[in-house]
Amino acid sequence: MSASVIEALAGIVGARNVISDPDAMVPYLKEWRDLFRGKAQAVVRPGSVAEVSAVMRWASENGATVVPQGGNTGLVGGQIPIAEGREIILSLQRLDKVRSVDPAGDTMTVEAGVSLQRAQEAAEAAGRLFPLSLASEGSCTVGGNLSTNAGGTAVIAYGNARELCLGLEVVLADGRIWNGLRQLRKDNTGYDLKNLFIGSEGTLGIITAAVLKLFPLPAARATAFLAVPDPEAALALLNKAKASAGGTLTTFEIMPRIGLDFVVRHASGARDPLSEPSPWYVLMEVSAQAETGLSDAVEAFLGEALEEGLVTDAVLAGSLGQRADLWKLREMLSEVQTHEGGSIKHDVSVPIQATPEFLKRAIAAVEALVPGCRPVPFGHLGDGNIHFNVSQPVGADKAAYLAGWGAMNEAVHAIVTELKGSISAEHGIGRLKRSLLPGVKDPVELDLMRTVKAALDPKGLLNPGSVL
Amino acid sequence: MSASVIEALAGIVGARNVISDPDAMVPYLKEWRDLFRGKAQAVVRPGSVAEVSAVMRWASENGATVVPQGGNTGLVGGQIPIAEGREIILSLQRLDKVRSVDPAGDTMTVEAGVSLQRAQEAAEAAGRLFPLSLASEGSCTVGGNLSTNAGGTAVIAYGNARELCLGLEVVLADGRIWNGLRQLRKDNTGYDLKNLFIGSEGTLGIITAAVLKLFPLPAARATAFLAVPDPEAALALLNKAKASAGGTLTTFEIMPRIGLDFVVRHASGARDPLSEPSPWYVLMEVSAQAETGLSDAVEAFLGEALEEGLVTDAVLAGSLGQRADLWKLREMLSEVQTHEGGSIKHDVSVPIQATPEFLKRAIAAVEALVPGCRPVPFGHLGDGNIHFNVSQPVGADKAAYLAGWGAMNEAVHAIVTELKGSISAEHGIGRLKRSLLPGVKDPVELDLMRTVKAALDPKGLLNPGSVL
């Protein structure tokens, strides 16, 4: 990196907020699952919106390309440059203020670098719920959540990050600041620019702050771990629960027996809460604004579901400790797969009602492709979003198995496409799925995306090589 | 209109679907509140997406400007050209198919010209709720609802039209068709083009069909008409209801005594359901997925609210007939104002918690401006969205009063802007509010809007003179 570039950036953010030493850059360049290592000229850490703006003004004047980064927890490489290393990483971590919490209006305004967990805690301290919830919440940031339109385990009731945002502050490619930090529930005064930046993975602008929606804290939650015979039954149970579980259905997650086996085998303290094994399980949670009646309603609901054969066995958490134990079975599911060798991953969605067909066909397809492989499909059945992970055959060579990643992706994505699904339900496109896009997107849509990109970032400075 | 233009359009849609006779065009050019009369070269009524596409291809090749129109119920003139009359109105009314209803996946796919009421009925026939609900639902269309991001009385629970849409089919300015009719709850494969077209009032593309979200039909509803001492109490009641009304709060509408007076005076069969007059009222509805317990919960809730002084009197509907009577008090509120002479209107929103302050200041401002004027502010307190209508002083000259429309708008909008609100909460900008935009929008935001418009409609063919 040229001394003049370091000097220019240091002039904006201070010398100690420009990192160019290769070792010191490692935390910003290491993909957290160790799938690859990135390269960059430098990491710049602005401490305010004005500094982000000044960095982008400088970048625009000098043709420097910039990759915005939050908590570096992304799953598709959108936050890490992997090409020639000419990019500058712009870390938002120092923009970490909770600017305001407004319980009377059910909103909070936070900066991009605030971790999701801190945002949740700030809401709860004011007696409110910020419902976005996902595995990396301790380290991912609100800015990253919004730029990738993060999902997680509460989408069925509260929506993705997109649905939880009322307003944004964004630094544009030329350094101008768009102040769209509105607290309004309704505003029809022009184009919806907010949603254009949300989910654009840092390629159209840099989100520096956001107004988030808050909700009343649920007064009661009923959490159940349910044995279900098959995905068809799980789907019927889902529709039954949406219609009449006695409160708001806030979680509906599916997992196969092998997933539970992996968790029990590898996660310390985890145990199967049911006496007999079942081919599939559902973690269901219903929330209510009043204690009274919720348990009774859910028990009655489960009684019916047992009678109808949708559920074959059930455990209802009787304490917060038991609730945590049930949730742990779901939360550990991703991590424990690393103990079973290589795992080829897909983050797909299909129309909800097509989920059983997708599972049947995709399991058959990967088993035909790699005999002995072990599908561990799990996730957000309530959103039609399955993390279709496939562990290697027992005893197989990990590297050889992972070399088939592309071929397996192709087989699974072909089924997804036939069922009019999405090859990235909640993780985004980033760098890892960019090459897949032309295969699944209507050319008109791709062209519209390119048109928008060219209009908002005509010099191509923002996160080049990501998404498009 | 030149014969060659008629011939070209007739060649696409058939001669009987091109209207150029001035009398026959009247229904398409008359603004329904009779605020103005539009002018156009012709009305073209394509019968399919392919025909909409062919019309736009022809328009693009010939530089013809096009104003898309649904049910012609818009409140800001976005659907009617009012300038030189060179525009062609493209009516979507013949695209009136409900393409599919999918209760298992909770979606339906309908064409733009389907009326909102038909969409509601198609959902209900499949045992589902399509919750968008507004005064003109009998004649407004789904395409118009989406292009204006319509609101209404259920936004507090279900969101605006934007939140109720999963996918779109859009004809672009150059005639290309974007098929974005996805049924997915989660799809992070690129930019959110859908939300760019929603709310853009036909200036970026023509919505021809949409995938809409459906919900379980509520099993029970509790509807209450409540006397409240002031907007502060109404706001406290709102937050209390959100936290604990024993179900989902699906309606929370405020109205002043004078509004109820107008309804009782002018709407046949309407009567005041409470024995003593109150300065303010709230129409509240709570929905639940089970009959059991809802009435008890709402009664207990209202008992507490009475004790706390948030409510001074209450009536709870005991039958569907009583529910209809209570709803009628709210639904007639707009219409009855026509019987009281001129009414100057505002469709504004502020952060929810600022609503009482807004009401106090705006009432004082208009009373200072026009002594004797009668403010009738009402609407969606749950969304911070007030229809701040002001009836003329008793006995005043209507025309002279209405001549002060702009001055009163200015006074009210200045307060809205100070409170960081919106001068168009749910009606849009159209032609009527276009000149107000530069006064209330950040220049960066206006410039971003112009950039997007130029990128998607470079020849400026779509709804010129609307929004921007």
Side-chain angles (χ1 to χ4, degrees):
Chain A
M1 183 179 197
S2 82
S4 71
V5 170
I6 293 189
E7 214 169 283
L9 291 173
I12 297 168
V13 300
R16 68 197 193 95
N17 291 310
V18 182
I19 304 170
S20 56
D21 173 73
D23 288 342
M25 284 204 288
V26 167
Y28 300 89
L29 291 169
K30 195 170 142 55
E31 199 271 346
W32 68 277
R33 293 174 306 181
D34 220 5
L35 287 181
F36 58 87
R37 191 67 67 93
K39 278 192 280 186
Q41 278 204 66
V43 176
V44 59
R45 293 164 44 86
S48 67
V49 181
E51 287 184 6
V52 176
S53 165
V55 169
M56 285 313 302
R57 214 159 42 235
W58 169 86
S60 178
E61 283 159 9
N62 293 276
T65 49
V66 172
V67 176
Q69 188 180 93
N72 190 14
T73 60
L75 290 158
V76 288
Q79 75 279 24
I80 300 179
I82 50 176
E84 301 90 344
R86 280 177 299 122
E87 280 79 20
I88 291 161
I89 289 182
L90 190 157
S91 168
L92 278 303
Q93 283 181 323
R94 289 181 61 223
L95 274 73
D96 63 354
K97 287 184 208 57
V98 174
R99 291 192 192 165
S100 66
V101 182
D102 164 38
D106 276 337
T107 70
M108 64 193 284
T109 304
V110 305
E111 293 186 343
V114 171
S115 77
L116 175 52
Q117 192 176 324
R118 268 191 65 215
Q120 294 165 343
E121 288 166 358
E124 193 159 345
R128 290 294 184 274
L129 174 73
F130 180 61
L132 191 68
S133 179
L134 39 110
S136 61
E137 59 197 28
S139 38
C140 67
T141 61
V142 168
N145 295 152
L146 288 167
S147 70
T148 59
N149 187 29
T153 53
V155 173
I156 187 173
Y158 300 101
N160 274 47
R162 182 184 303 291
E163 280 82 34
L164 299 173
C165 178
L166 291 172
L168 285 183
E169 178 185 80
V170 177
V171 172
L172 305 177
D174 60 11
R176 285 181 301 164
I177 299 168
W178 171 48
N179 184 341
L181 286 176
R182 292 189 268 266
Q183 290 185 293
L184 305 173
R185 302 286 160 161
K186 280 184 176 174
D187 177 26
N188 278 351
T189 57
Y191 303 157
D192 183 0
L193 301 169
K194 178 189 79 182
N195 276 311
L196 203 50
F197 293 110
I198 296 174
S200 70
E201 306 184 38
T203 64
L204 300 179
I206 300 176
I207 295 171
T208 52
V211 180
L212 304 174
K213 280 188 203 169
L214 302 181
F215 296 82
L217 277 172
R221 287 188 176 105
T223 310
F225 192 79
L226 309 170
V228 296
D230 50 43
E232 285 81 0
L235 180 66
L237 185 71
L238 168 68
N239 278 313
K240 187 180 168 70
K242 283 201 278 191
S244 65
T248 302
L249 182 65
T250 41
T251 298
F252 200 92
E253 302 276 312
I254 193 169
M255 68 172 83
R257 175 70 206 180
I258 190 174
L260 183 61
D261 280 341
F262 283 7
V263 173
V264 170
R265 194 178 303 160
H266 301 295
S268 84
R271 60 172 202 84
D272 183 348
L274 300 171
S275 50
E276 297 291 325
S278 164
W280 292 90
Y281 299 92
V282 163
L283 177 72
M284 179 177 108
E285 194 161 89
V286 179
S287 302
Q289 295 312 119
E291 291 267 2
T292 327
L294 179 63
S295 299
D296 289 353
V298 172
E299 274 174 32
F301 169 82
L302 291 176
E304 277 183 37
L306 279 158
E307 254 174 50
E308 292 165 19
L310 301 179
V311 166
T312 56
D313 199 2
V315 57
L316 198 57
S319 68
L320 285 178
Q322 279 175 26
R323 174 176 182 254
D325 285 347
L326 298 183
W327 265 100
K328 188 179 183 180
L329 301 176
R330 167 63 186 84
E331 282 164 351
M332 296 302 293
L333 202 41
S334 203
E335 196 177 316
V336 292
Q337 292 168 50
T338 57
H339 300 286
E340 296 282 336
S343 171
I344 298 178
K345 297 176 192 297
H346 310 78
D347 164 41
V348 303
S349 68
V350 292
I352 299 174
Q353 72 278 18
T355 320
E357 181 183 349
F358 164 72
L359 285 169
K360 193 171 295 173
R361 290 176 60 183
I363 289 169
V366 300
E367 286 175 346
L369 198 67
V370 182
C373 74
R374 295 169 295 164
V376 192
F378 70 98
H380 321 298
L381 182 64
D383 315 315
N385 174 196
I386 299 295
H387 297 301
F388 194 83
N389 293 356
V390 186
S391 285
Q392 67 175 58
V394 175
D397 178 71
K398 180 176 172 180
Y401 175 72
L402 290 179
W405 188 298
M408 192 177 281
N409 275 188
E410 212 171 298
V412 172
H413 290 162
I415 298 164
V416 168
T417 302
E418 268 184 56
L419 294 172
K420 300 193 159 79
S422 167
I423 63 158
S424 187
E426 60 176 12
H427 296 164
I429 296 298
R431 288 174 174 77
L432 294 185
K433 292 191 179 175
R434 185 173 73 128
S435 63
L436 302 177
L437 221 43
V440 297
K441 281 268 174 198
D442 174 4
V444 174
E445 181 162 341
L446 269 180
D447 190 61
L448 277 171
M449 284 171 57
R450 282 189 207 103
T451 300
V452 168
K453 170 72 174 175
L456 268 65
D457 180 18
K459 297 183 186 172
L461 304 175
L462 284 167
N463 215 354
S466 200
V467 186
L468 286 169
Chain B
M1 184 180 191
S2 80
S4 71
V5 169
I6 294 189
E7 214 169 283
L9 291 172
I12 296 168
V13 300
R16 68 195 194 96
N17 291 310
V18 182
I19 305 168
S20 56
D21 174 74
D23 288 341
M25 285 204 287
V26 167
Y28 301 89
L29 291 169
K30 195 170 141 54
E31 199 272 344
W32 68 279
R33 292 174 306 183
D34 220 6
L35 287 182
F36 58 86
R37 192 67 66 93
K39 278 189 278 186
Q41 278 205 65
V43 176
V44 59
R45 293 164 45 88
S48 66
V49 182
E51 287 184 6
V52 177
S53 165
V55 170
M56 285 312 302
R57 213 159 44 233
W58 169 85
S60 177
E61 282 160 9
N62 293 277
T65 48
V66 172
V67 176
Q69 187 180 93
N72 189 14
T73 60
L75 290 158
V76 288
Q79 75 279 21
I80 299 179
I82 50 178
E84 300 91 345
R86 281 176 297 122
E87 281 78 19
I88 291 162
I89 290 182
L90 190 156
S91 168
L92 279 303
Q93 284 181 323
R94 290 181 62 224
L95 274 74
D96 62 355
K97 286 184 208 58
V98 174
R99 291 194 191 163
S100 66
V101 182
D102 165 38
D106 275 338
T107 71
M108 65 192 286
T109 304
V110 304
E111 293 186 343
V114 171
S115 78
L116 175 52
Q117 193 177 323
R118 269 192 64 216
Q120 293 165 344
E121 288 166 357
E124 192 158 347
R128 291 294 185 274
L129 174 73
F130 180 60
L132 192 69
S133 179
L134 40 113
S136 60
E137 59 198 27
S139 39
C140 67
T141 61
V142 169
N145 295 153
L146 288 167
S147 69
T148 60
N149 187 29
T153 53
V155 173
I156 187 172
Y158 300 101
N160 274 49
R162 183 184 301 291
E163 279 82 33
L164 298 173
C165 178
L166 291 172
L168 286 183
E169 178 185 81
V170 178
V171 171
L172 305 178
D174 59 11
R176 285 181 301 163
I177 300 168
W178 171 48
N179 183 341
L181 286 176
R182 292 189 267 265
Q183 290 184 292
L184 305 172
R185 302 285 160 162
K186 281 184 174 174
D187 176 26
N188 278 350
T189 57
Y191 303 156
D192 183 0
L193 301 169
K194 177 188 80 184
N195 277 311
L196 203 50
F197 293 109
I198 296 175
S200 70
E201 305 184 39
T203 65
L204 300 179
I206 300 176
I207 294 171
T208 51
V211 180
L212 304 174
K213 280 187 201 170
L214 302 181
F215 296 81
L217 277 172
R221 288 186 174 106
T223 310
F225 192 79
L226 309 170
V228 297
D230 51 41
E232 286 81 1
L235 180 66
L237 185 71
L238 168 68
N239 278 313
K240 187 179 168 71
K242 284 202 277 191
S244 66
T248 303
L249 181 66
T250 42
T251 298
F252 199 93
E253 303 277 310
I254 192 169
M255 68 173 83
R257 176 68 206 180
I258 190 174
L260 184 61
D261 280 342
F262 284 8
V263 173
V264 170
R265 193 176 305 159
H266 302 293
S268 84
R271 61 171 201 87
D272 182 348
L274 300 171
S275 51
E276 297 291 326
S278 163
W280 293 88
Y281 299 93
V282 164
L283 177 72
M284 178 177 109
E285 193 161 88
V286 180
S287 302
Q289 296 312 119
E291 292 267 2
T292 328
L294 179 63
S295 300
D296 289 353
V298 171
E299 275 175 32
F301 170 82
L302 291 177
E304 276 182 38
L306 279 158
E307 252 174 54
E308 292 165 20
L310 301 180
V311 166
T312 55
D313 199 2
V315 57
L316 199 56
S319 67
L320 285 178
Q322 281 177 24
R323 175 175 182 253
D325 286 346
L326 297 183
W327 265 99
K328 188 179 182 181
L329 301 176
R330 166 65 186 84
E331 282 164 352
M332 297 302 293
L333 202 40
S334 203
E335 197 178 317
V336 292
Q337 292 168 49
T338 57
H339 300 287
E340 295 283 338
S343 171
I344 299 178
K345 296 173 190 301
H346 310 79
D347 165 39
V348 303
S349 68
V350 292
I352 299 174
Q353 72 279 17
T355 320
E357 181 182 349
F358 164 73
L359 286 169
K360 193 171 295 173
R361 290 176 58 183
I363 289 170
V366 299
E367 286 176 346
L369 197 65
V370 182
C373 74
R374 295 168 296 163
V376 193
F378 70 98
H380 321 298
L381 182 64
D383 315 315
N385 175 195
I386 299 295
H387 297 301
F388 195 83
N389 293 357
V390 186
S391 284
Q392 67 174 58
V394 175
D397 179 71
K398 180 176 172 181
Y401 175 71
L402 291 179
W405 189 298
M408 192 178 283
N409 277 187
E410 211 171 299
V412 172
H413 291 163
I415 298 164
V416 168
T417 302
E418 268 185 56
L419 295 173
K420 299 194 160 80
S422 167
I423 63 159
S424 187
E426 58 177 12
H427 296 166
I429 295 299
R431 288 175 173 76
L432 294 185
K433 292 191 180 175
R434 185 173 74 129
S435 63
L436 301 177
L437 222 43
V440 296
K441 282 267 174 196
D442 174 5
V444 174
E445 182 161 342
L446 270 180
D447 190 62
L448 277 171
M449 284 170 58
R450 282 188 207 104
T451 300
V452 167
K453 171 72 174 173
L456 268 64
D457 179 19
K459 295 183 187 172
L461 305 175
L462 284 166
N463 215 355
S466 200
V467 186
L468 284 169

